[in-house]
Amino acid sequence: MNYQETLEYLYNSMPMFQQIGTKAYKEGLENTCILDEYFKHPHTRYKTIHVAGTNGKGTCSHTIAAVLQSAGYKVGLYTSPHLVDFSERIRVNGKPISQQYIIEFVEKHRFFFEPLYPSFFELTTALAFLYFADKKIDVAVIEVGLGGRLDCTNIISPDLSIITNISYDHTALLGNTLSKIAAEKAGIMKPNTPVIIGESTEDTELVFINQAAKVNAPITFAEKEQLLLEADRAADGKWIYQTQDYPDLVGELSGFYQPKNTITLLVTIRELKRLHYTIEDKNVREGFAHVTQSTGLMGRWQKLQDSPTLVCDTGHNIAGMAYIVEQLEQQVYNELHFVIGMVDDKDIHGILSILPKDARYYFTRASVKRALPEDELAEKARSYGLKGETYPTVVSAIEAAQKESLPEDFIFVGGSSFIVADLLSNRDTLNLY
């Protein structure tokens, strides 16, 4: 099989959450443990850092990797979902896994894993852990796929566990209260292993404290450390942070939610130093200033066009979208054009209820099976006073928005990671560079 045939085999043979949602979710770690034993526990051959949370875990994972790369470590980075190509999920020092390695992995080992019928994520995790061992990395930053307790990344014994925050997402699988969701994510805590909580509420703090006590995990609540003193925006949209340890720290990522991530990251870096990771001030500054170049991070308030301005963001739940709406309110434009699509297992009504009423909407659907049909989305949106036309593809919706926009207008593209994925996969078609 060539690379494309191998990907089609992975996508179509293994239940894939990205495509079909909860039907692909396998509760329990049985397959993961069987695969791990077959590959001789590759994750034990390097250090690991485990990152869970509802929002911000991808950004935090990439930034930690960028800082460690700057410090001279050979860093593996495992994240999901991918936006343009599968290989984005598995990187070493920012470079995606090679196509040939993926092909050979499937050809060599399919005789073993096919009878197990693992999920796509179970198999991809095994692939990532083996690849990192073969590349002889120093440390891997591992992002949880979904939840924590039963996520197949949870077989690792990390140096540090991080839970960025808790909000409502995947409630059908993780629970319909913040405390239930927190309990699932707290499942990544390991015995005698420090854990950092980025944000917490009255509902979740006690859950974290109790779970940490059960496993004797030293716990730190990042917000209570007050390492971030002030956050101001520069003229180019970047953040300038005043912190206890790094005055005038420049953050490349410009989303309104980034200061929350920075609070978590500052405490993480301090803890990694305490764990004897060699990280100098210049490494922190380099990592924060060049995270996209260092790690390939995409889709976080990413600007793709001027005149009219076009920005995309992968925020896809109420908490994430609330920050996006707040940031849109701060933009200067003549008219806002909002290209939106969603998947059917999100709190669609909750998100639609907070979107700006004065925007012009382009309702569309991503090229995944979970995508909500654009006409259904438009019908739901109308009950919240949101008006616009429907488009069968993301490309056609963006092309319409570009055609209808004046140079001083603003085009936002989002609502789902998969909408952003379709946008970024078609940048040449849309003439976005």
Side-chain angles (χ1 to χ4, degrees):
M1 292 187 290
N2 61 26
Y3 179 61
Q4 198 56 46
E5 289 168 341
T6 301
L7 292 186
E8 289 299 320
Y9 167 82
L10 290 173
Y11 295 157
N12 295 325
S13 299
M14 314 298 163
M16 185 181 182
F17 192 94
Q18 184 162 336
Q19 289 288 338
I20 64 175
T22 56
K23 294 177 183 178
Y25 182 68
K26 288 193 174 184
E27 188 170 292
L29 298 175
E30 183 180 356
N31 276 353
T32 298
C33 291
I34 292 171
L35 289 166
D36 187 50
E37 185 171 351
Y38 169 75
F39 290 115
K40 298 182 173 58
H41 316 292
H43 58 90
T44 62
R45 298 178 224 165
Y46 42 83
K47 295 176 177 291
T48 55
I49 299 166
H50 208 187
V51 186
T54 304
N55 293 312
K57 61 182 184 290
T59 297
C60 286
S61 296
H62 281 80
T63 306
I64 293 166
V67 170
L68 291 174
Q69 286 170 219
S70 176
Y73 290 93
K74 190 172 186 179
V75 183
L77 178 63
Y78 180 46
T79 59
S80 60
H82 62 268
L83 293 177
V84 177
D85 185 77
F86 171 86
S87 62
E88 297 165 32
R89 294 169 177 256
I90 305 168
R91 296 176 181 269
V92 172
N93 280 3
K95 184 178 179 181
I97 184 173
S98 71
Q99 295 182 1
Q100 190 59 35
Y101 191 97
I102 298 167
I103 294 169
E104 291 177 358
F105 173 85
V106 171
E107 290 179 345
K108 184 176 181 180
H109 302 293
R110 61 188 294 182
F111 79 93
F112 177 80
F113 61 70
E114 278 183 350
L116 291 175
Y117 196 53
S119 72
F120 172 85
F121 195 71
E122 286 172 336
L123 193 59
T124 302
T125 301
L127 166 62
F129 289 176
L130 182 65
Y131 181 70
F132 292 154
D134 285 348
K135 299 298 286 187
K136 295 180 170 57
I137 64 165
D138 300 310
V139 55
V141 183
I142 307 295
E143 179 191 3
V144 168
L146 192 154
R149 181 176 63 94
L150 297 174
D151 187 79
C152 53
T153 64
N154 204 29
I155 60 172
I156 64 175
S157 298
D159 287 344
L160 178 64
S161 304
I162 302 162
I163 302 174
T164 58
N165 57 48
I166 303 296
S167 56
Y168 292 102
D169 204 359
H170 301 297
T171 53
L173 298 174
L174 303 180
N176 57 5
T177 67
L178 292 179
S179 58
K180 288 180 180 178
I181 297 170
E184 289 298 316
K185 295 185 187 293
I188 71 165
M189 295 184 190
K190 299 296 191 302
N192 307 306
T193 301
V195 58
I196 293 168
I197 308 300
E199 300 175 63
S200 61
T201 65
E202 190 175 336
D203 291 327
T204 62
E205 183 171 329
L206 190 59
V207 173
F208 293 137
I209 290 172
N210 289 339
Q211 181 61 25
K214 284 181 183 178
V215 298
N216 196 34
I219 186 168
T220 303
F221 290 91
E223 289 180 312
K224 296 182 180 181
E225 298 297 296
Q226 299 182 336
L227 298 191
L228 179 59
L229 307 176
E230 189 177 333
D232 295 305
R233 292 175 67 79
D236 60 1
K238 295 179 181 178
W239 286 102
I240 309 297
Y241 300 112
Q242 302 303 330
T243 87
Q244 284 191 24
D245 299 326
Y246 314 102
D248 298 317
L249 176 65
V250 178
E252 173 193 15
L253 304 177
S254 60
F256 266 30
Y257 42 82
Q258 292 304 335
K260 293 287 189 180
N261 291 332
T262 296
I263 290 170
T264 306
L265 288 163
L266 292 171
V267 177
T268 296
I269 292 163
R270 182 177 279 191
E271 183 64 25
L272 288 174
K273 287 183 175 182
R274 194 190 67 78
L275 293 169
H276 306 296
Y277 283 73
T278 303
I279 302 172
E280 298 180 7
D281 288 8
K282 64 180 180 180
N283 306 137
V284 178
R285 295 184 184 279
E286 173 75 16
F288 269 77
H290 302 291
V291 61
T292 57
Q293 180 182 342
S294 297
T295 67
L297 179 65
M298 297 183 288
R300 273 62 170 188
W301 197 262
Q302 184 175 355
K303 186 178 180 182
L304 297 172
Q305 176 182 286
D306 291 303
S307 301
T309 301
L310 189 150
V311 167
C312 66
D313 195 284
T314 56
H316 56 268
N317 51 41
I318 292 179
M321 191 58 73
Y323 278 111
I324 291 170
V325 170
E326 181 185 358
Q327 190 155 6
L328 287 171
E329 290 172 350
Q330 300 297 317
Q331 306 306 307
V332 177
Y333 51 76
N334 177 62
E335 185 176 18
L336 174 62
H337 302 259
F338 205 121
V339 178
I340 185 171
M342 299 182 69
V343 292
D344 58 12
D345 57 354
K346 300 299 179 183
D347 183 358
I348 295 167
H349 290 281
I351 291 175
L352 292 174
S353 70
I354 66 172
L355 296 183
K357 302 288 192 292
D358 57 351
R360 183 172 180 177
Y361 286 87
Y362 303 74
F363 302 104
T364 187
R365 66 188 300 173
S367 55
V368 295
K369 294 177 182 178
R370 293 164 59 198
L372 185 71
E374 65 276 15
D375 54 344
E376 288 186 34
L377 179 59
E379 183 178 352
K380 294 178 188 295
R382 277 193 287 271
S383 66
Y384 293 95
L386 310 180
K387 300 177 181 178
E389 302 298 322
T390 60
Y391 300 87
T393 66
V394 173
V395 169
S396 62
I398 295 172
E399 287 177 335
Q402 290 175 318
K403 183 178 179 181
E404 298 297 325
S405 297
L406 297 174
E408 58 270 25
D409 287 354
F410 193 105
I411 303 171
F412 177 80
V413 182
S416 165
S417 296
F418 309 118
I419 295 293
V420 175
D422 282 2
L423 159 61
L424 295 176
S425 297
N426 290 280
R427 290 177 70 168
D428 289 343
T429 301
L430 294 163
N431 295 315
L432 298 173
Y433 304 103

